[in-house]
Structures are given as C-alpha cells and as structure tokens.
Amino acid sequence: MNNKHETIDLQYRDTAHHWHPFTDTRKLSVKGPRVIKKAKGIYLWDSEGNRLLDGMAGLWCVNLGYGRSELIDAASRQMKELPYYNTFFQTSHAPVIELSTMLAHLTPGDLNRFFFTGSGSEANDTVMRLVRTYWDTLGKPEKKTILARHNAYHGSTVAAASLGGMQAMHAQSGLPIPDIVHIAQPYWFDEGGDLSPEEFGFRTATALADEIDRLGENKVAAFIAEPVQGAGGVIVPPENYWPEVKRICAERDILFIADEVICGFGRLGRWFGSQTYDLKPDLISMAKGISSGYLPLGAVAISEKVAQPLIERAGEFFHGYTYSGHPTCAAVAMENLRILHEERIVERVREHTVPYFQKAWSTLTDHPLVGEARSIGLMGALELVPDKASRKRFDNIGQVGETCRDLCLDNGLVMRAVRDSMIVSPPLVITDEQIDELIERARKSLDLTLKKVKHR
Ligand SMILES: *Cc1c(COP(=O)(O)O)cnc(C)c1O
C-alpha cells in the first residue's frame, strides 16, 4: 500500500471506531487525524512521511526523546522476569522498592514515601483522599475543602478535573464535585489589568489568604498548585508570587500540594519545580517525565508529617489501583532516572540548554503578532495579539492560535495552541541546533499566520 492509501485507510477506521480524548469528533471526522508512525530523538514522522520537530515532547512527557533502547531493554528484561504483580495486601517486588528508594533520594525534604498510580490524574485523586484522611485522623474531619486555582490543570478523572480550574471541563457533566474552591491564577498577561506584575503577584497570592480566612482555617484541608501552570498556557507567576504564597501557607494550618506532573524531573532545570521555587510541599503528585512517557506511571510523594499520623492511626488505606507500582513501568522509570542522572541531563538543562533556549525564544518578541515571549526552564509561551502595544486579545478567541498551530504542523513543528497562546515544552535532550530549528520554524509559521490574519 502506498502512503496515501494507507493513511486514508487508517483515518477512515480511526474516525469510525476510535473515540479521541480532548477532540471535537465532528471536526475530526471531516479532516481525519494526523497519523504518527514513528519517532527518533526529538522528531516524529507521520504516515505520509512528513518529519515533525516535537516541540511538546509528546504531551510534556518524552523528556529523554524517542528511541532510547535502554528503556526498551529495561521493559523487556522486566517483562521476562516478572511482567506484572500487584502491591496490594502486603506484597511487594524489587522494581517498586528500588524505584521508591530512588525517588526518596531525589525528592526534596522528607518526602520519603511513594504511592504509585497509572497517571497524573490518579495521583491527584489519591492526593485528595490522602489529605482528607489525614485531617480525619487528626480528629478534624471538617477540614475538607481543597483550594485550587482557576485555569489549573490537574487531570481528567472526576476528582482531578474538579481540582483543575478548566471552565470547559467543569461545564460538561456537572463539575466540580463539592468542597473544592478555586481562586485567582497568577496570569499577569491576561488578567493583570493596569497592575504591575509585582502588584498582581501580590494580589493573586493574597487571594489565597483571603479565601482561607473567608472559609475559616478549620474548614480548609489543602492548597494544590502547579509550580508553573502547563496546560493553562505556561503561566510563569510574577517573582513575588511563590514567596508570598509560601508565607501564607506557613502561617496557616493547611497542607500544600505541588502538582509536579509537568515540572518534575528536570523541566525547570532542577529535579523538581519545588526546588526551583524553594517550595516545601507536604505532598507532590508526579507522572509524565517520571518514565519519559515510555510507559504510563504516576506517583504521590508523601512527607513524614502526613505519613506519620496515617501510619499510627488510620489503619488500612482503602485505595489502590490494579497497576499501582506496576513492575515493568517501575523498571522503565528507574532506567529513565538512571539516564537523567548519569548523563547529567538535569544539570545540562539548567546550565546550558535553558540559557540558550531563553535567549532564542525571546528573539520572537520582535514579531508583530507576539505580545509577549516568556519562558522558564524548557517551557515557553507566545502571546498572540492584534496590537503589540496593548495586551488586548483577538475578538474570536482561539481562532488565531488554531491557525498558527496548523501552520506550524504544515511547517514541520509541533507547537500547541492554548486559546491564542502558543506553547512549547521540548524534550530535555534538545540540542542548540535543534533549538535554532524550532525557532526558525516557529517564526516562519508566525509570518504565515500574520498573512492569514491580515487577509481576514
Ligand atoms: C497532565 C497533567 C496531569 C494529568 O496527568 P495524566 O497522566 O494525563 O492523568 C495532572 N497534572 C498536571 C500538572 C498535568 O500536566
């Protein structure tokens, strides 16, 4: 079969039988999906033979890039030895024990214990049950409300989508579930109005204190946040935001949960985003980069403060997944962590790749469509606006972003659109030449987008 035929056949059967996540099925049936066939390093090839630079590392996860045979061999070795066994009812196996030990060394502070899940969403569901059980155990069952932020992304299960602050997700099927309250996000470009970033950082941090005081500290269990919001649009908080939030949390008796599903494992140039911002989380949820996406895996890191009362007084924790601590996923994650460590990839990202990327990314600021080109670590966002001088948005929000995204794909670059922000989060192993290529393709796509916008 030639490429064209094969593609049409796959597209036909895809639209007939495969229901996609985060996809408008009617639109998809008109156009047919782009079928990805293989990948190597930071590049993807589709079924028609087009090569794409993967500026999103899959979905923020393929941090080591594609085709690392060590990870494949680790899976194969483990599957031959013990492909699966559970960790319920007082059993264990070496891969989950070794991975837990490695993570205890990597995570900051006394986050010493790890509950494993199959995904980031399941990690956040687990977190929610852990924090409520924690306060129950301490005799404070009314400390139940969890604070989160508008436009946060914490996953797609019922609890995780409720913790998240995505309006479109809440609008479908009656979310959020009770006892979750959302506060303002530190998104200065969109919501800062006439305030300086510092004033706005202070105001959005203060919203946390105000909400705790409004609800009563005795009703609030925890605050959950991503160190840097990813899916919300790579939202880098003003510099004073985290120090102020840290102060507010320290003065009040609530738990702080860092959702490090994206920021963990080197994305911000340290093993965890909490280290970049010097946060002291009581719990961390993680997934994605833990296994570079080669196999699904998530985890919750639990501090001694949370663990001790649970161990002493809670009895059995009635929670777990068939694949909690899956040995093959654990073996692949360990190999991923070994490579990150031995090849000093996190250090290289911090000392070399990030400075190079930041400089290159910021050159896009001069483009007529770009109102702001911001980045932190190896994550970047471009705010597309009709008028560079103001932070005003295009009328039909999301349309220009989608146009730009499609033009990027036509020009061999995967860049994601969040409304009218374009975002990237490339594999951590991206080289300087590949960063230059990413920027060149982005600029070309922006030029073509501008032409189309003017035409309209
Ligand atoms: C992707 C993501 C999740 C959800 O992870 P899944 O593995 O898709 O369930 C949770 N939190 C953040 C910050 C994420 O980016």
Side-chain angles (χ1 to χ4, degrees):
M1 246 195 289
N2 69 30
N3 286 345
K4 196 91 206 157
H5 249 100
E6 188 188 349
T7 301
I8 289 168
D9 173 60
L10 285 169
Q11 286 176 329
Y12 175 77
R13 286 186 289 136
D14 183 78
T15 51
H17 302 301
H18 173 206
W19 198 276
H20 289 247
F22 286 100
T23 296
D24 177 333
T25 301
R26 191 181 59 81
K27 271 195 194 164
L28 179 77
S29 343
V30 176
K31 229 171 115 186
R34 179 181 300 270
V35 180
I36 302 300
K37 196 160 175 184
K38 61 174 191 175
K40 183 88 192 154
I42 69 159
Y43 295 100
L44 306 163
W45 281 264
D46 70 17
S47 58
E48 294 177 14
N50 301 304
R51 191 186 80 155
L52 298 161
L53 191 162
D54 185 4
M56 284 305 298
L59 276 177
W60 324 83
C61 53
V62 189
N63 287 355
L64 278 189
Y66 300 93
R68 289 295 301 235
S69 56
E70 301 94 323
L71 270 62
I72 300 156
D73 295 343
S76 156
R77 272 196 311 274
Q78 185 56 45
M79 286 184 119
K80 283 176 195 147
E81 173 104 7
L82 178 72
Y84 170 77
Y85 199 70
N86 72 74
T87 52
F88 286 24
F89 319 133
Q90 324 261 347
T91 54
S92 200
H93 47 69
V96 78
I97 296 166
E98 284 164 16
L99 177 60
S100 307
T101 311
M102 275 174 110
L103 289 170
H105 285 117
L106 286 175
T107 44
D110 67 352
L111 294 150
N112 291 336
R113 296 160 195 273
F114 297 84
F115 186 100
F116 291 96
T117 70
S119 69
S121 303
E122 289 175 2
N124 284 326
D125 278 44
T126 302
V127 150
M128 187 161 153
R129 300 200 56 196
L130 275 171
V131 300
R132 289 190 175 161
T133 310
Y134 169 80
W135 291 116
D136 277 351
T137 303
L138 293 181
K140 298 179 179 174
E142 70 289 351
K143 263 175 98 65
K144 210 155 91 165
T145 300
I146 300 178
L147 300 181
R149 300 181 298 182
H150 293 298
N151 196 38
Y153 188 76
H154 296 303
S156 237
T157 53
V158 169
S162 295
L163 291 170
M166 300 283 174
Q167 267 171 18
M169 291 175 76
H170 290 174
Q172 286 172 342
S173 58
L175 302 180
I177 54 175
D179 301 315
I180 293 171
V181 174
H182 296 88
I183 59 171
Q185 57 172 335
Y187 188 6
W188 175 79
F189 191 88
D190 235 23
E191 299 175 356
D194 295 332
L195 300 180
S196 70
E198 289 67 34
E199 288 165 339
F200 183 69
F202 186 76
R203 172 180 295 189
T204 42
T206 306
L208 174 62
D210 291 348
E211 195 57 41
I212 297 170
D213 296 345
R214 192 182 72 79
L215 291 161
E217 190 177 324
N218 61 335
K219 297 278 167 55
V220 179
F223 173 52
I224 183 169
E226 303 153 81
V228 174
Q229 285 155 266
V234 182
I235 293 159
V236 184
E239 269 178 35
N240 58 346
Y241 178 80
W242 278 121
E244 192 55 25
V245 167
K246 234 176 86 175
R247 193 184 61 73
I248 290 164
C249 287
E251 285 172 358
R252 291 166 178 79
D253 190 21
I254 67 164
L255 297 174
F256 173 59
I257 307 151
D259 182 340
E260 297 249 17
V261 171
I262 288 176
C263 295
F265 305 102
R267 179 58 54 196
L268 303 186
R270 304 217 171 242
W271 281 91
F272 292 91
S274 293
Q275 293 161 322
T276 301
Y277 286 112
D278 192 30
L279 307 176
K280 302 274 180 285
D282 299 297
L283 296 140
I284 291 180
S285 24
M286 52 185 82
K288 294 191 173 128
I290 192 173
S291 59
S292 278
Y294 280 54
L295 282 177
L297 183 69
V300 178
I302 306 164
S303 63
E304 289 302 325
K305 169 181 165 179
V306 174
Q308 284 311 326
L310 291 173
I311 294 167
E312 282 159 26
R313 285 185 257 165
E316 180 170 345
F317 185 38
F318 298 106
H319 177 75
Y321 305 105
T322 302
Y323 301 132
S324 283
H326 193 293
T328 309
C329 302
V332 167
M334 273 193 286
E335 191 61 14
N336 176 57
L337 299 180
R338 186 192 66 74
I339 293 173
L340 283 171
H341 177 71
E342 282 179 16
E343 297 184 5
R344 297 181 52 80
I345 290 172
V346 179
E347 290 83 353
R348 190 185 145 76
V349 164
R350 178 170 71 244
E351 285 155 19
H352 180 83
T353 320
V354 168
Y356 191 90
F357 171 73
Q358 289 203 322
K359 195 157 168 234
W361 188 252
S362 67
T363 63
L364 295 170
T365 310
D366 68 10
H367 195 276
L369 267 181
V370 174
E372 180 178 82
R374 63 172 175 269
S375 74
I376 183 160
L378 278 188
M379 300 163 91
L382 305 172
E383 299 286 5
L384 307 188
V385 289
D387 163 28
K388 277 177 82 76
S390 76
R391 309 204 304 278
K392 202 172 105 34
R393 292 296 187 177
F394 287 104
D395 288 338
N396 199 343
I397 288 184
Q399 196 187 32
V400 175
E402 196 177 311
T403 301
C404 184
R405 188 217 32 219
D406 291 346
L407 287 165
C408 284
L409 289 169
D410 292 346
N411 286 287
L413 173 64
V414 179
M415 183 146 78
R416 176 159 155 188
V418 179
R419 299 173 303 275
D420 291 324
S421 316
M422 304 308 299
I423 60 177
V424 293
S425 174
L428 303 184
V429 295
I430 193 168
T431 64
D432 295 355
E433 297 73 45
Q434 290 167 337
I435 289 173
D436 294 344
E437 184 189 340
L438 187 159
I439 302 293
E440 188 190 306
R441 283 169 196 252
R443 184 176 285 281
K444 186 171 167 204
S445 309
L446 288 167
D447 288 344
L448 294 166
T449 307
L450 182 63
K451 265 194 199 153
K452 276 209 174 173
V453 169
K454 282 194 172 152
H455 197 77
R456 280 188 199 133

